[in-house]
Amino acid sequence: HAHGQMSHQYQPAPPNNRPMRRASETGMPWTPQCAPPPPPPQHFQQMQQAYLQQITMAKLQAAMERTSSTEKLLQDWDRANGLPASHCQTMVNTSRSRKQLTEGVVLKK
């Protein structure tokens, strides 16, 4: 070998300079060399729950904006075609629900 390099790779000595034995030779079950990871902090679940609620609320907000714009498009189409504005109970209830959720208040009927 060039420049006096050794051909074998370095291997650290086993602990206490004793030869390492297989688990089957010791009669002991194999255990990992490192400790298991610590449990997550107690507030982890609260943080995770808050994050999921933010995502859910963002999705709800986006869906409400889509239904609101769809309702407006329908009303504009009706108006452009000489039809009266639609005030069916479903549309009224949907608008009320959207407003209550967006503003965080309960509206009187």
Side-chain angles (χ1 to χ4, degrees):
H1 290 92
H3 305 290
Q5 291 180 354
M6 300 178 92
S7 62
H8 69 281
Q9 291 195 342
Y10 170 76
Q11 292 185 354
N16 302 328
N17 290 325
R18 293 187 194 138
M20 295 178 71
R21 297 188 309 179
R22 297 179 185 196
S24 60
E25 295 172 350
T26 63
M28 304 276 295
W30 180 84
T31 56
Q33 295 297 318
C34 57
Q42 290 180 350
H43 64 281
F44 176 77
Q45 283 185 331
Q46 293 167 341
M47 290 169 46
Q48 187 179 35
Q49 189 67 30
Y51 176 71
L52 292 174
Q53 286 175 346
Q54 286 178 335
I55 291 172
T56 302
M57 288 307 292
K59 287 181 178 180
L60 176 61
Q61 185 71 32
M64 289 193 309
E65 288 170 8
R66 282 194 306 273
T67 61
S68 180
S69 65
T70 301
E71 182 179 346
K72 183 173 179 352
L73 288 170
L74 287 169
Q75 290 171 345
D76 291 347
W77 189 89
D78 287 348
R79 198 173 302 114
N81 289 283
L83 298 169
S86 177
H87 294 292
C88 72
Q89 192 63 42
T90 301
M91 289 180 81
V92 171
N93 289 346
T94 301
S95 295
R96 280 177 52 81
S97 297
R98 240 190 261 115
K99 187 169 186 173
Q100 290 179 108
L101 286 168
T102 303
E103 297 176 6
V105 296
V106 177
L107 303 171
K108 293 180 184 177
K109 287 193 175 186

